[in-house]
């Protein structure tokens, strides 16, 4: 099983950051390459559409509003992996009023090597966190 983690410090209050990213259906609010998200199954499944019209279906596996974190798995996607599970967390940077946002994932590459799969998701996480910072205007 492969894994990767990306994190970014953002000069914004953790509650403000969580307000934007903490909704399971909120990806279109801060991630430009996901312009559409539809929730189903009581809000536990999101069907995402990317800019090219590709569909990604994900299931919410764990949610903790107080700890500002959620985990999800992929049910269907055009990615060369199986057994994908990811966690998005907003931490407070002690004494600064800033946030550290961490996005991590574990997965089993399918038809590609560990390095290629890891590079794919590390790029998604890194780019996603950069666009989150832009969406917050900081």
């Amino acid at each position: 099983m492969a894994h990767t983690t990306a994190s970014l410090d953002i000069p914004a209050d953790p509650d403000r950051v969580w307000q934007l990213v903490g909704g399971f259906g909120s990806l279109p609010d801060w991630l430009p390459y996901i312009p559409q998200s539809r929730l189903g199954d009581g809000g536990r499944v999101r069907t995402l559409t990317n800019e090219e019209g590709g569909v990604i279906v994900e299931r919410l596996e764990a949610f903790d509003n107080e700890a500002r974190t959620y985990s999800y798995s992929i049910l269907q996607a055009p990615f060369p992996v199986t057994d994908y599970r990811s966690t998005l967390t907003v931490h407070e940077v002690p004494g600064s009023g800033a946030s550290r946002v961490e996005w991590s994932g574990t997965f089993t590459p399918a038809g590609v090597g560990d390095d290629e799969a890891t590079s794919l998701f590390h790029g998604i996480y890194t780019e996603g966190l950069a666009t989150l910072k832009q969406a917050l205007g900081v």
Side-chain angles (χ1 to χ4, degrees):
M1 189 162 266
H3 69 278
T4 189
T5 300
S7 63
L8 182 65
D9 288 355
I10 298 176
D13 178 78
D15 289 332
R16 177 175 171 224
V17 176
W18 180 245
Q19 174 123 26
L20 181 57
V21 301
F24 193 54
S26 72
L27 285 180
D29 297 339
W30 61 274
L31 203 56
Y33 54 86
I34 301 292
Q36 184 178 15
S37 175
R38 289 186 333 269
L39 293 178
D41 196 18
R44 293 180 300 270
V45 173
R46 66 183 175 195
T47 300
L48 308 170
T49 305
N50 66 22
E51 290 176 319
E52 293 83 38
V55 174
I56 304 160
V57 182
E58 299 173 333
R59 174 174 290 283
L60 183 64
E61 301 290 349
F63 182 88
D64 187 331
N65 194 55
E66 188 173 319
R68 297 189 219 65
T69 188
Y70 71 80
S71 297
Y72 62 95
S73 60
I74 289 180
L75 302 177
Q76 172 193 332
F79 303 127
V81 299
T82 60
D83 305 318
Y84 177 93
R85 182 161 176 139
S86 184
T87 300
L88 184 64
T89 305
V90 179
H91 302 280
E92 181 176 356
V93 177
S96 71
S99 303
R100 176 167 295 129
V101 184
E102 184 176 285
W103 198 351
S104 63
T106 60
F107 39 86
T108 302
V112 298
D114 282 8
D115 289 345
E116 186 176 341
T118 299
S119 179
L120 169 70
F121 285 104
H122 192 78
I124 289 170
Y125 300 163
T126 301
E127 184 180 324
L129 294 176
T131 63
L132 170 61
K133 185 176 180 180
Q134 290 174 345
L136 287 161
V138 293

